[in-house]
Amino acid sequence: MHAERSCLFRTSFLLLAVLFIQEVSSFTLKMGLLKVGVPKSWDDSKKNLSYIRNAGTRQFVSTYNRVKDLKGDELLWGDEIEYGVFQIDPDTKKVRLSLRAKEIMDELNRKEHEHPQVVEGCHWVPEYGAWMVEATPNRPYTGFTTDLLRVERNMRLRRKRILTVLKDNEIAPTVSAFPMIGAQGNDGTVPAVPVGGPVTQSDYIGDGIINPHPRFGTLTANIRQRRGEKVNIRVPLYRDVNTPEYEGAATGSPGGGGDGCCARDAQQLWRYGKGDASQELYGKDSVVVGCSKSSKDEEADETEIMPVMQKWLVDVQCAGCKGLFYRSAPDVIVPDADWPRNGETVVGYEIPDIPGWIRLQNGYYLPMESGDGEISFLTKISTRANHTNGEIKEALGSETPLFRGADQGKLSASSMLNGDIAIAESATATLVEEKKVDSGTTSPNPTKDGRDTVRAAVHMDAMAFGMGCCCLQITFQATDVDESRFIYDHLAVMAPIMMALTASTPVMKGRILDTDCRWGIISESVDCRTPAERGREDPNAPYEALTAKGQRRIYKSRYDSISTFIYQGHCTRNESGTANRVLNTYNDIPLPIDQEKYEYVRNAGVDPALAQHIAHLFIRDPLVVFDGAVEEVDDEVQTEHFESIQSTNWQTVRWKPPPPRNSPNDPHIGWRTEFRSMEMQLTDFENAAFSVFIVLLQRVILTFDLNLYIPISKVDANMQRAHSRDAAAKGKFFFRRHMAPLDEGDDGYGVKYVSMFAKAVTGEVNDDIPEKDFDANGVSQQRKTAPNADENDEENAYEEMTMCEIMSGKGDYFPGLIPLVRAYLDHINCDAVTLAKLTQYLDFIERRANGELVTPATWMRNYVRSHPDYKGDSVVTDSIAHDLLIACKEIGEGKLHVPELLGDIKIEEITTDGAYDAKLDSKRVQNKRVLQLLQRYTQRHGTFS
């Protein structure tokens, strides 16, 4: 338990708040448990890695079985804001990192403890950087509308209070990144620390900027050592009129006229985490980018560097055969699970070391043929095959969804396809991965479709560049485990959308980036995968101590978007034994798992969707092992080893089981979901607006039974698009076109889709609209079947939308998220005072979504480019960074109004006045002091009267 928490147990009033904050603090959510102890070296830790992975799985099963039936929890939620502390020098116009975070945090917590009577307070905890402090409310927000007004009030209070402990030359603006990190050599911090050191071995920053707690340095060193080299962060550099790296370049348009190497109707895509091949070709100062053009073209681009799942047609060619049973493992039939019928397609990939079997993305397995090889079960078809037109549907027998109609004859797969569905060209080409290139090649001119895709890059080489970024995170408590999983899936879809809308990271290492968001930088800064795990040649493999000996192909960094949805859902077919129906429609990318962990969790009674999520987390090794805390941990009552894996899988959304209660007096904490993608905003108004919006959207999804599911591959594509410059105003994102059940239509090829929402546009709403069926827990059939797309075709369930369309609506079929939130507030009869503030928030978000207001990233880039010291060379000088951060500080404190950021919203000025309550003290004072005070007031009249 955190040492600084102990004194917060003084009153029972604060107990619930403190324990809630335990779960939303940076240590449990981002850095793991910040325990007191001595961490082992990486070499010494290796002998414990296997034990911890196994024990962590046991701890999850124990926890899950203990709390899986918890129901009825009310909404509680909280936010986290991170501050960077900087020292300014007005004489030299230079700004540096102020490494006083621990001193500042200790002083702030001391003051909090001196005011235990205050209902609204703050909680302060350390962060990765020695210049960073994180703050949360001292008690969670509740599920009542009046608590929505607390959010901005508490954020303003946090800003007030941090101002009370800053020195005269220190500032703490809410920015996502320090623009000069790694660009100032040995003169970038106060006190100064030398560049390099044994922990980071960095060429740009010093070990001394890392938080002095031993966990953080150990985490940094172990990531580097497990990877086998320093981390490799390369972000596309913005091209301006005088950027020297682009001198003589023939592609793109300097000064932001186009989007890098892409056409004006496309976004330049930084494919973070997938740049090994480009480094081998062009070195650390270049990176290959892609372009978003159309759905299909982008998918084709992806095949060069991303694995691609394959579609398989189920066609069991024997008399009376209707389909296949799922297998929980090869040759282990699952009779109680729903099963794919002849004529259906499934998505999966061949198992390299088990010929003749495919692993589906839902966690199950299917054989490709009978054991004797005489009967074919599955035929690989093109990933773009669409069997939803009427002719093909008839051939496949989809009018009789349980099996192929006998009157249609015994058509083989190839004869049914008849050229209308393409069979995959290669039966062995299950995964198409990036190819190894000759590292000695230095050709600077790779082209594709006539467009040069090599961009100059800003290179960074240490964890601090990523984990030194600040962000805004929200954690919700759900009513039960099912709701927490359902919300997890839907917030994962929203993660890239909200990241683009809050973009605020256009400058790093003293250069203007050609991206707007921090996520990919952090992803690459903690990428601990071995070369073999990244798909490269690895002469040092195998690594005996690592999971799968460090040779399992892992497609993402441990800090990335999610790779699988986890809501189980239900099937509505009138058949028994369908409790294990799992979604296979949307999980369309390969999911590496630890097969042993998967089988262990399944055998313990965990459903396949959740079991594969846990087995995916456990493809990672623990990164920090503490001496005396390995086998000494009790797996039945503690979760330390589970959390050591869970808390270092930094994904866009995190699903969180209830923590163990160490005593009967500990308060109950339920199932939670954490939303992690949003960027830091300059003002408390903005941070509160987006926090409140996510809370309201979560309630809208649940209350209105919305379905936001799109394929995981499109969520990943949206994450790449969200990084693009000015993505909020100019970009397009894949989004579900019909969030509610359709009133009419088949699959988009015959009858036109008619949305339920169209009635609201046409004025056809009446009392005859049927109500949805609900179960005993108030959960509708619409919600239960949403992830399964039960008996619905999903090929055309999504489309590209602008941010404005996603937020404000499109046509008569997509009402927009903001109108849905407004409708929800009307539905719950929100009080007038709260509604007025929420309307301000929603209006602001809508104006940013339609481009009327710019993101902080756009404003910062424009500020730098219009600064008198800027030379058009993409370089941010010390003086520019100094003035930029001063401006950010003044905007946040309400001293500077920027209409292009906030419109007509005026921020009330924030000072230290009222940061803490004044006590009605009765301690005796000396006579001299009394006379001094009295003199101030009696001199007004000259004599007593």
Side-chain angles (χ1 to χ4, degrees):
M1 178 173 289
H2 300 184
E4 68 268 25
R5 295 176 183 152
S6 57
C7 53
L8 290 179
F9 289 92
R10 295 176 182 173
T11 65
S12 58
F13 175 79
L14 289 178
L15 187 57
L16 175 59
V18 172
L19 289 182
F20 178 83
I21 289 167
Q22 284 184 7
E23 298 310 311
V24 299
S25 72
S26 64
F27 304 136
T28 54
L29 297 187
K30 292 166 63 177
M31 288 294 116
L33 296 172
L34 191 68
K35 61 177 291 174
V36 177
V38 179
K40 297 184 177 185
S41 69
W42 179 243
D43 285 339
D44 195 25
S45 298
K46 288 179 181 177
K47 64 178 179 289
N48 303 126
L49 300 182
S50 177
Y51 180 88
I52 291 174
R53 292 194 303 268
N54 291 331
T57 313
R58 293 193 297 268
Q59 290 172 10
F60 168 76
V61 168
S62 176
T63 297
Y64 182 80
N65 287 332
R66 185 176 67 250
V67 297
K68 64 183 178 182
D69 295 323
L70 290 176
K71 293 183 180 296
D73 284 325
E74 296 293 335
L75 172 65
L76 294 175
W77 65 282
D79 71 85
E80 306 167 46
I81 286 182
E82 296 159 352
Y83 301 86
V85 182
F86 315 115
Q87 187 183 88
I88 58 172
D89 186 337
D91 296 329
T92 62
K93 296 202 73 176
K94 188 164 186 173
V95 59
R96 302 173 177 87
L97 298 176
S98 177
L99 307 183
R100 287 202 320 117
K102 184 179 186 308
E103 178 185 341
I104 288 171
M105 181 201 70
D106 290 345
E107 177 65 12
L108 286 167
N109 279 325
R110 183 187 65 78
K111 290 187 174 184
E112 297 291 337
H113 302 161
E114 289 177 353
H115 295 79
Q117 82 291 343
V118 179
V119 173
E120 198 69 71
C122 315
H123 184 64
W124 306 88
V125 294
E127 251 295 346
Y128 177 86
W131 72 96
M132 301 170 69
V133 179
E134 179 183 298
T136 66
N138 72 330
R139 60 189 176 94
Y141 308 123
T142 70
F144 291 90
T145 56
T146 50
D147 262 26
L148 299 176
L149 300 179
R150 283 183 53 207
V151 181
E152 184 178 351
R153 195 163 62 230
N154 190 275
M155 290 178 177
R156 287 176 60 88
L157 180 64
R158 283 174 254 175
R159 196 182 296 262
K160 276 177 176 284
R161 291 188 173 179
I162 200 170
L163 289 177
T164 67
V165 296
L166 298 180
K167 295 180 178 179
D168 291 341
N169 61 345
E170 288 179 333
I171 60 174
T174 45
V175 293
S176 288
F178 177 54
M180 301 302 290
I181 186 169
Q184 297 172 309
N186 295 329
D187 191 30
T189 64
V190 180
V193 297
V195 169
V199 174
T200 62
Q201 299 182 6
S202 173
D203 294 329
Y204 311 117
I205 58 100
D207 290 354
I209 73 171
I210 302 172
N211 186 300
H213 189 284
R215 175 180 176 85
F216 297 110
T218 303
L219 191 64
T220 305
N222 289 357
I223 285 174
R224 174 177 53 78
Q225 291 180 74
R226 190 190 186 284
R227 178 184 173 91
E229 60 187 1
K230 291 189 293 185
V231 294
N232 178 31
I233 310 162
R234 290 175 300 133
V235 189
L237 173 67
Y238 179 77
R239 181 188 178 191
D240 215 332
V241 290
N242 296 321
T243 306
E245 290 86 346
Y246 292 109
E247 185 176 357
T251 57
S253 176
D259 201 350
C261 61
C262 301
R264 289 182 176 270
D265 61 345
Q267 296 169 261
Q268 177 178 286
L269 301 179
W270 173 38
R271 304 193 192 284
Y272 62 91
K274 304 171 181 67
D276 287 314
S278 64
Q279 173 162 354
E280 291 163 3
L281 274 171
Y282 312 112
K284 66 180 178 62
D285 296 319
S286 298
V287 64
V288 173
V289 298
C291 298
S292 69
K293 298 173 290 297
S294 70
S295 170
K296 289 185 177 180
D297 287 342
E298 185 166 23
E299 182 179 310
D301 285 348
E302 292 282 358
T303 60
E304 287 194 349
I305 56 177
M306 287 283 285
V308 177
M309 301 286 278
Q310 289 292 317
K311 288 185 178 179
W312 304 78
L313 178 69
V314 179
D315 183 40
V316 183
Q317 299 176 28
C318 62
C321 295
K322 299 180 180 180
L324 290 170
F325 279 119
Y326 285 127
R327 273 75 164 172
S328 60
D331 295 321
V332 182
I333 289 177
V334 184
D336 65 334
D338 190 32
W339 44 278
R341 277 71 173 165
N342 284 341
E344 294 184 352
T345 57
V346 295
V347 180
Y349 57 92
E350 293 180 68
I351 308 171
D353 54 349
I354 311 179
W357 287 84
I358 67 169
R359 183 180 186 277
L360 303 180
Q361 185 58 10
N362 62 12
Y364 286 127
Y365 299 81
L366 288 177
M368 298 169 63
E369 57 187 17
S370 60
D372 57 12
E374 295 295 321
I375 303 175
S376 174
F377 294 162
L378 303 171
T379 300
K380 186 184 297 184
I381 61 177
S382 168
T383 56
R384 297 196 185 158
N386 189 336
H387 63 269
T388 54
N389 62 68
E391 225 176 88
I392 302 300
K393 286 176 75 172
E394 184 178 356
L396 294 177
S398 33
E399 296 301 318
T400 55
L402 295 186
F403 54 91
R404 223 174 64 222
D407 58 337
Q408 296 169 0
K410 286 191 169 237
L411 301 174
S412 67
S414 54
S415 65
M416 283 193 299
L417 302 174
N418 212 15
D420 292 312
I421 298 180
I423 298 179
E425 294 179 3
S426 169
T428 59
T430 306
L431 301 179
V432 184
E433 303 176 11
E434 57 179 318
K435 298 178 181 179
K436 182 74 171 67
V437 296
D438 182 0
S439 59
T441 304
T442 57
S443 170
N445 190 32
T447 60
K448 181 178 207 174
D449 298 333
R451 289 192 301 272
D452 189 358
T453 58
V454 175
R455 304 286 286 171
V458 179
H459 178 253
M460 295 165 274
D461 66 353
M463 184 175 174
F465 287 101
M467 284 301 187
C469 292
C470 299
C471 65
L472 171 66
Q473 297 178 174
I474 314 293
T475 300
F476 311 92
Q477 178 174 271
T479 188
D480 57 26
V481 61
D482 273 357
E483 183 179 285
S484 70
R485 292 167 64 176
F486 186 73
I487 288 299
Y488 173 97
D489 288 0
H490 283 74
L491 292 182
V493 174
M494 288 302 303
I497 308 302
M498 298 307 298
M499 186 174 76
L501 199 55
T502 58
S504 63
T505 315
V507 180
M508 287 286 284
K509 203 186 164 198
R511 304 303 300 272
I512 305 179
L513 307 178
D514 212 12
T515 57
D516 276 2
C517 298
R518 80 202 187 285
W519 190 270
I521 299 171
I522 311 177
S523 179
E524 293 193 339
S525 79
V526 296
D527 191 351
C528 66
R529 292 175 296 167
T530 66
E533 289 170 338
R534 303 197 306 270
R536 317 313 297 164
E537 292 181 1
D538 193 347
N540 297 317
Y543 306 86
E544 294 300 327
L546 305 187
T547 175
K549 297 185 178 181
Q551 294 179 293
R552 179 192 289 114
R553 184 68 171 94
I554 301 177
Y555 304 105
K556 296 181 180 181
S557 164
R558 63 198 300 155
Y559 199 117
D560 213 317
S561 55
I562 72 164
S563 294
T564 182
F565 292 122
I566 67 172
Y567 182 59
Q568 177 74 5
H570 302 275
C571 179
T572 57
R573 286 194 175 108
N574 294 321
E575 298 178 23
S576 60
T578 59
N580 283 330
R581 170 83 175 187
V582 294
L583 50 84
N584 190 43
T585 303
Y586 309 104
N587 284 334
D588 66 336
I589 64 173
L591 185 74
I593 64 167
D594 185 315
Q595 184 64 35
E596 179 184 332
K597 304 298 186 293
Y598 175 79
E599 292 175 7
Y600 177 84
V601 175
R602 284 288 289 123
N603 290 336
V606 178
D607 61 79
L610 185 55
Q612 73 173 3
H613 168 69
I614 299 300
H616 177 59
L617 296 181
F618 276 78
I619 64 173
R620 313 288 181 175
D621 283 312
L623 290 173
V624 180
V625 178
F626 283 91
D627 194 17
V630 181
E631 296 185 22
E632 296 84 352
V633 176
D634 187 343
D635 296 341
E636 291 301 314
V637 296
Q638 295 175 277
T639 59
E640 186 169 323
H641 294 327
F642 170 71
E643 288 297 337
S644 72
I645 302 292
Q646 153 99 334
S647 66
T648 54
N649 271 271
W650 297 284
Q651 298 177 337
T652 47
V653 190
R654 179 175 284 142
W655 179 73
K656 299 171 63 62
R661 299 178 66 184
N662 297 317
S663 80
N665 295 325
D666 287 351
H668 165 74
I669 298 174
W671 296 95
R672 290 144 300 144
T673 304
E674 180 190 13
F675 188 64
R676 301 169 42 79
S677 68
M678 290 192 292
E679 302 249 308
M680 186 61 65
Q681 306 298 284
L682 296 180
T683 69
D684 301 312
F685 172 87
E686 296 166 276
N687 286 317
F690 289 112
S691 300
V692 168
F693 176 74
I694 285 296
V695 174
L696 291 174
L697 182 61
Q698 180 235 32
R699 308 318 280 175
V700 167
I701 292 169
L702 293 172
T703 305
F704 293 170
D705 281 313
L706 301 184
N707 174 6
L708 272 59
Y709 281 103
I710 60 174
I712 286 282
S713 63
K714 297 310 173 190
V715 176
D716 283 353
N718 283 346
M719 281 297 291
Q720 293 180 349
R721 293 181 176 203
H723 282 81
S724 300
R725 173 164 39 90
D726 211 9
K730 299 178 181 178
K732 288 188 175 182
F733 302 88
F734 297 104
F735 210 79
R736 189 174 183 87
R737 56 164 61 104
H738 294 297
M739 298 182 289
L742 299 177
D743 281 355
E744 185 180 359
D746 54 6
D747 52 24
Y749 290 92
V751 181
K752 181 182 178 182
Y753 277 124
V754 178
S755 169
M756 180 187 80
F757 292 129
K759 288 184 170 66
V761 177
T762 59
E764 298 176 15
V765 178
N766 55 57
D767 294 335
D768 297 330
I769 298 177
E771 293 296 326
K772 300 182 180 70
D773 294 327
F774 293 88
D775 65 14
N777 296 316
V779 179
S780 72
Q781 291 299 318
Q782 159 74 0
R783 186 185 308 174
K784 289 180 180 180
T785 59
N788 300 320
D790 193 38
E791 298 184 15
N792 292 323
D793 190 286
E794 292 291 293
E795 291 283 352
N796 304 286
Y798 57 88
E799 65 181 65
E800 290 180 296
M801 296 187 191
T802 65
M803 186 69 73
C804 181
E805 290 168 339
I806 292 171
M807 290 295 162
S808 301
K810 183 176 183 179
D812 66 354
Y813 59 92
F814 186 84
L817 301 181
I818 289 178
L820 284 166
V821 170
R822 296 185 194 274
Y824 171 77
L825 294 172
D826 189 2
H827 163 69
I828 64 172
N829 297 315
C830 180
D831 65 276
V833 173
T834 304
L835 185 60
K837 172 57 76 172
L838 300 185
T839 299
Q840 254 192 339
Y841 291 158
L842 295 175
D843 289 345
F844 160 74
I845 294 173
E846 196 160 26
R847 293 176 69 187
R848 181 176 286 186
N850 65 28
E852 184 180 345
L853 301 178
V854 300
T855 63
T858 296
W859 177 82
M860 290 179 185
R861 186 179 285 106
N862 292 342
Y863 182 95
V864 170
R865 297 185 67 226
S866 61
H867 193 281
D869 293 347
Y870 182 64
K871 306 301 183 184
D873 53 4
S874 307
V875 174
V876 181
T877 64
D878 282 324
S879 62
I880 296 174
H882 172 277
D883 293 348
L884 173 64
L885 288 181
I886 291 292
C888 291
K889 165 192 177 295
E890 292 184 345
I891 292 170
E893 294 174 10
K895 298 175 181 177
L896 174 64
H897 177 63
V898 181
E900 58 265 38
L901 266 176
L902 297 169
D904 56 0
I905 300 296
K906 300 293 180 65
I907 305 300
E908 183 181 349
E909 187 170 341
I910 296 177
T911 67
T912 58
D913 289 344
Y916 298 95
D917 291 348
K919 185 179 181 180
L920 297 175
D921 202 359
S922 61
K923 184 178 179 180
R924 297 293 295 271
V925 298
Q926 295 180 355
N927 291 340
K928 180 179 179 181
R929 175 62 174 161
V930 174
L931 294 176
Q932 289 173 338
L933 292 169
L934 189 59
Q935 186 178 27
R936 297 178 186 176
Y937 303 99
T938 57
Q939 287 180 347
R940 296 178 181 178
H941 305 291
T943 59
F944 290 103
S945 58

